[in-house]
Amino acid sequence: MKKTITIIAALSLACGNISALDYDKIPLKEEPVNISTIKNIGGFIGDRMRLNRNTYLKHFPIEKYVEFIEARNHKDWDWTRAEQHGKWLESAYLSAIQADDKALLDKAETMLHRIISSQERNGYLGATSAEYRNEERPVRGMDAYELYFVFHALASVYEQTGNEQTLHAAEQLADYYLMYFGPGKHEFWPSDFREPDNRQRRLAGTSDFAGHSVHYSWEGTLLCDPVARLYEITGKKKYLQWSKWVVDNIDRWSGWDSFSRLDSVASGYITVYDLQPYVHSHTFHMNFMGFLRLYRITGDASLLRKVQGAWDDIAKRQMYITGGVSVAEHYEHGHVKPISGHIVETCATMSWMQLTQSLLELTGNTKYADAMERLMINHVFAGQDAATGVCRYHTAPNGVKPEGYFHGPDCCTASGHRVISLLPTFLYAKKGNKLFVNQYLPSEYKSKDFVMTVSGNYPEDEDLHITIDKAPRKNKEINLRIPSWCENASVKVNGVPVNNVKSGKYLTLDCKWNPGDVIDITFPMVLKWVKRENHSRTVAYTLPDSPEILFREEKADRTPYALVKGPVIYSLDMVWNKSINNDDANFEKDIRIDTSVLPSRIDAPQSNMLGPAYKAKGQYKGKEVELTMTPFANTGIWYREGEDKPAEWSDAFSYGIWLYGK
């Protein structure tokens, strides 16, 4: 087994990502680098990535869930068990290859072999019992969603390692769907209604082939993305034709013309919320990634326009200050974004990051990298339990803990470890002789002919350095993203200032680099209180015969503030405010912050935290107090060292980004 691991690891380093670009009409402006080229990620995020790998992925009981697939006796609607093997497999391979972790790679290889060995001769690779499946009902309602992650896992392993078995298994699985779904065959109807009876009809419940009916077929059509990815890898047109067929029929199946009306979103006539009665964030994101893949393959610019329009609408109206998205798993009307409750789902965080990264690669527009930075630095790790690595279902800007960190395994626990494993692929990009630095984590980039080290303690400190360790004997273009939030960034090359440094743009440094060359970068971070825009009170409600939570607005009598420094969002976390003597304090009623003065910098309360911290002036029940403000990313620390841990599902500690002024 050790010999096999060595061979696969060597393959991943030698071949790089297997290119699928030969079958694309639209070249990427930024191509992803192989995850094996990114090493030694440091700082707070590096620590949390190691927690994800060493504590969560290695100790996750994946054997139990692979056995569940091998047994193949599943008949229930529940999807949480059947999506674990796909997400874990991709996460484990990416994490193991990036960190040269032979033990995790060994485990991943073993699970991969068992999963592929369980594949039926007809290609089926899900959990649904053969007794349940037949010609009239070839899949279970949530199969498409579950197998979406299996498709992508197999494709990722193939691209990273060159393992032909995984590609063969993915093709067999796709052929199973092509055998039963297509023109003149089964379709992704979300209910028993057909045209024209399904027009403008509200749905609830479940469907046989397209997941939740309330998602209006989009939970089946999301397979357009991984099947189109198979076309990019193999060049087999049947996969492209099937994916196009799926997208071409979304309007007909949904009954709401929700695909074609994305053009109206792009034109600003309507919002994403208006497309259909319930817009499920995560499901839409996964479909949008399929649209972008088809744009790349076919050159159909209308697909890019649709997705860009939807992204812009969401970013403008429905994206939180932390970069997170989703309100009770969906998108609301206007600027309705409650600050507490079931807000910012981890599944939506994962797919939003992937969608945003896809747009960055296609367009080269740094606004997408800016959005990635804010989400990565704030919300991704706020939702991760700092002790076990388990990720929350929702992580509201204002909430309580440890309630929420102890659940699953389910969709969000699995999505959390998957997106953390994907993070290294978001740091850098390439294009021919060009290298793009999109995220500034302490790390090493090591390609065949170019090696550099990013050092410093960003985002805790505003100064960072890039040292060239190895360079070719010709010019190499390095493109540095200058964040849009930073107005006075400065860059020096070997001590010489560089001119024309503009926020929200790339700074291009085209030089013949030598080992020992140093790029010094300073991103000045301004500490400030930010007043919440479009603030209102929100009241939750449900529709008859529907479990979905919706919201209506009521006028608020005052507006809260948040403390911001550069891309870092701060919160008042009662874990670090023991002096108030009320760990579950009511922020709206009892606490007032003095926004007329800026807080003073102090050291972070613990060494395993993202820092720095700040002391702010305020009042608790009318009494003057000093309040410790810490980066929101530390929310996953849910107990005080040296004290008894609170009960797992208790509301022991409150925390909040949004605070009311005196």
Side-chain angles (χ1 to χ4, degrees):
M1 181 60 74
K2 288 183 179 179
K3 184 177 180 181
T4 306
I5 295 169
T6 304
I7 291 172
I8 287 185
L11 273 173
S12 70
L13 291 169
C15 68
N17 282 63
I18 294 172
S19 175
L21 302 179
D22 292 342
Y23 301 110
D24 290 346
K25 287 186 178 180
I26 303 298
L28 294 176
K29 288 186 168 31
E30 300 182 18
E31 298 171 7
V33 301
N34 190 283
I35 200 167
S36 64
T37 64
I38 302 140
K39 299 299 180 185
N40 298 320
I41 298 174
F44 169 82
I45 291 179
D47 289 342
R48 288 301 193 89
M49 288 179 61
R50 282 184 285 277
L51 174 69
N52 183 60
R53 184 178 74 251
N54 293 326
T55 303
Y56 192 84
L57 288 174
K58 283 186 177 178
H59 297 285
F60 181 78
I62 185 60
E63 295 86 354
K64 171 183 175 182
Y65 296 96
V66 172
E67 289 172 4
F68 182 68
I69 299 302
E70 291 171 326
R72 200 156 287 140
N73 292 320
H74 195 36
K75 299 178 183 179
D76 299 330
W77 177 257
D78 172 65
W79 65 95
T80 56
R81 288 176 290 173
E83 67 173 312
Q84 298 299 322
H85 65 304
K87 288 181 177 178
W88 183 91
L89 185 67
E90 186 173 18
S91 303
Y93 261 95
L94 293 176
S95 294
I97 291 171
Q98 188 273 318
D100 294 324
D101 190 323
K102 300 299 189 293
L104 182 57
L105 189 58
D106 186 359
K107 187 173 183 178
E109 281 191 301
T110 300
M111 294 303 108
L112 172 66
H113 177 73
R114 287 176 56 178
I115 291 167
I116 291 177
S117 297
S118 79
Q119 189 166 31
E120 295 178 0
R121 294 182 65 181
N122 60 18
Y124 183 75
L125 195 51
T128 306
S129 168
E131 297 176 1
Y132 181 94
R133 290 177 281 120
N134 53 48
E135 292 287 331
E136 295 302 314
R137 191 179 59 195
V139 295
R140 211 176 82 261
M142 290 301 291
D143 261 324
Y145 170 80
E146 296 157 8
L147 292 170
Y148 172 96
F149 298 102
V150 177
F151 271 120
H152 278 302
L154 295 173
S156 291
V157 172
Y158 171 70
E159 289 179 346
Q160 291 290 332
T161 68
N163 185 332
E164 294 285 347
Q165 283 184 308
T166 60
L167 178 59
H168 180 65
E171 287 193 72
Q172 282 190 302
L173 179 56
D175 291 343
Y176 182 86
Y177 263 92
L178 268 62
M179 177 169 57
Y180 288 108
F181 292 84
K185 304 177 184 178
H186 293 300
E187 300 182 60
F188 292 111
W189 295 102
S191 72
D192 293 335
F193 296 109
R194 299 293 184 267
E195 292 184 301
D197 294 336
N198 70 331
R199 306 300 295 171
Q200 304 291 298
R201 184 183 289 272
R202 285 184 174 271
L203 300 179
T206 61
S207 67
D208 286 339
F209 307 141
H212 292 71
S213 294
V214 75
H215 297 165
Y216 295 88
S217 85
W218 290 67
E219 211 158 47
T221 62
L222 50 76
L223 287 179
C224 67
D225 182 34
V227 175
R229 186 178 180 183
L230 280 179
Y231 167 76
E232 288 186 301
I233 294 172
T234 67
K236 295 181 180 180
K237 290 189 176 179
K238 63 181 180 180
Y239 299 134
L240 172 60
Q241 292 167 350
W242 190 85
S243 296
K244 291 173 66 177
W245 168 77
V246 166
V247 174
D248 288 344
N249 281 278
I250 291 176
D251 282 348
R252 191 166 64 92
W253 296 329
S254 75
W256 288 85
D257 295 331
S258 46
F259 171 74
S260 60
R261 290 200 301 142
L262 282 167
D263 288 321
S264 295
V265 176
S267 297
Y269 299 138
I270 62 174
T271 70
V272 168
Y273 168 83
D274 299 310
L275 292 172
Q276 60 192 40
Y278 182 77
V279 176
H280 188 247
S281 308
H282 181 42
T283 303
F284 263 50
H285 300 163
M286 290 189 282
N287 277 273
F288 290 164
M289 284 187 275
F291 303 164
L292 290 181
R293 196 178 298 277
L294 286 172
Y295 159 68
R296 199 165 80 193
I297 294 169
T298 66
D300 182 355
S302 69
L303 294 169
L304 176 63
R305 182 176 184 271
K306 284 180 170 67
V307 178
Q308 283 184 307
W311 192 95
D312 287 342
D313 175 59
I314 293 165
K316 180 181 178 181
R317 298 186 307 104
Q318 292 284 282
M319 187 165 68
Y320 283 84
I321 193 172
T322 58
V325 295
S326 87
V327 176
E329 298 192 23
H330 66 279
Y331 287 122
E332 269 288 350
H333 63 285
H335 293 270
V336 173
K337 297 193 297 289
I339 62 176
S340 61
H342 290 177
I343 309 303
V344 189
E345 183 201 20
T346 296
C347 283
T349 293
M350 176 190 69
S351 53
W352 179 251
M353 288 195 83
Q354 288 188 280
L355 174 64
T356 305
Q357 179 69 16
S358 295
L359 285 166
L360 173 64
E361 293 169 356
L362 280 167
T363 67
N365 191 326
T366 60
K367 74 177 183 180
Y368 300 117
D370 287 344
M372 296 280 286
E373 176 183 58
R374 182 150 295 217
L375 186 52
M376 179 177 67
I377 288 175
N378 296 291
H379 228 118
V380 167
F381 294 104
Q384 182 195 40
D385 175 1
T388 66
V390 176
C391 292
R392 266 180 151 183
Y393 182 6
H394 293 102
T395 309
N398 287 32
V400 294
K401 57 183 178 179
E403 183 276 321
Y405 285 111
F406 306 95
H407 61 106
D410 54 31
C411 51
C412 284
T413 56
S415 291
H417 70 64
R418 184 172 182 256
V419 74
I420 293 172
S421 298
L422 285 166
L423 287 182
T425 66
F426 304 150
L427 305 186
Y428 306 98
K430 64 181 181 178
K431 180 68 174 180
N433 193 44
K434 301 177 181 179
L435 179 68
F436 298 85
V437 183
N438 287 318
Q439 309 298 340
Y440 292 95
L441 300 186
S443 59
E444 290 180 306
Y445 172 77
K446 294 184 176 183
S447 67
K448 183 178 181 181
D449 64 348
F450 189 77
V451 179
M452 71 180 194
T453 301
V454 179
S455 59
N457 199 22
Y458 184 84
E460 294 193 40
D461 297 322
E462 57 192 24
D463 295 322
L464 56 118
H465 316 279
I466 298 177
T467 303
I468 309 302
D469 302 305
K470 179 182 178 180
R473 296 180 179 178
K474 58 183 179 180
N475 279 27
K476 177 78 171 181
E477 182 180 304
I478 300 177
N479 294 274
L480 304 175
R481 177 182 64 90
I482 309 301
S484 58
W485 55 260
C486 185
E487 296 181 358
N488 297 300
S490 65
V491 178
K492 296 178 182 179
V493 177
N494 295 329
V496 179
V498 178
N499 296 323
N500 204 32
V501 181
K502 296 181 179 179
S503 63
K505 303 287 184 181
Y506 283 111
L507 174 66
T508 299
L509 302 175
D510 191 358
C511 306
K512 182 181 177 182
W513 301 97
N514 296 303
D517 286 343
V518 177
I519 305 169
D520 296 310
I521 306 169
T522 300
F523 293 140
M525 300 182 189
V526 178
L527 184 70
K528 57 186 177 181
W529 291 107
V530 175
K531 190 175 183 179
R532 190 169 194 243
E533 296 180 344
N534 305 297
H535 180 65
S536 63
R537 287 186 177 277
T538 53
V539 178
Y541 68 97
T542 58
L543 296 172
D545 302 320
S546 174
E548 313 303 343
I549 302 172
L550 302 175
F551 295 86
R552 64 173 180 269
E553 290 183 285
E554 293 182 356
K555 187 176 180 180
D557 57 1
R558 56 184 181 272
T559 303
Y561 290 77
L563 184 66
V564 177
K565 185 183 180 185
V568 182
I569 311 301
Y570 280 76
S571 73
L572 177 63
D573 191 329
M574 302 317 281
V575 169
W576 314 114
N577 285 273
K578 188 175 181 179
S579 61
I580 289 181
N581 199 31
N582 185 357
D583 297 334
D584 58 350
N586 187 313
F587 285 12
E588 185 173 359
K589 292 182 179 180
D590 298 335
I591 294 178
R592 295 292 177 266
I593 202 82
D594 188 348
T595 59
S596 67
V597 294
L598 288 176
S600 56
R601 179 169 174 156
I602 59 174
D603 291 336
Q606 285 185 184
S607 60
N608 64 337
M609 296 175 63
L610 181 68
Y614 286 89
K615 280 287 187 184
K617 294 184 180 299
Q619 294 178 344
Y620 175 65
K621 294 187 175 180
K623 180 182 178 181
E624 298 294 327
V625 292
E626 284 192 327
L627 302 169
T628 299
M629 305 287 293
T630 51
F632 182 62
N634 299 307
T635 303
I637 302 174
W638 52 270
Y639 60 89
R640 296 183 181 131
E641 288 189 347
E643 296 186 8
D644 292 338
K645 294 180 182 179
E648 290 186 350
W649 285 97
S650 66
D651 298 344
F653 296 103
S654 53
Y655 68 87
I657 289 172
W658 295 108
L659 308 171
Y660 291 93
K662 292 173 65 175

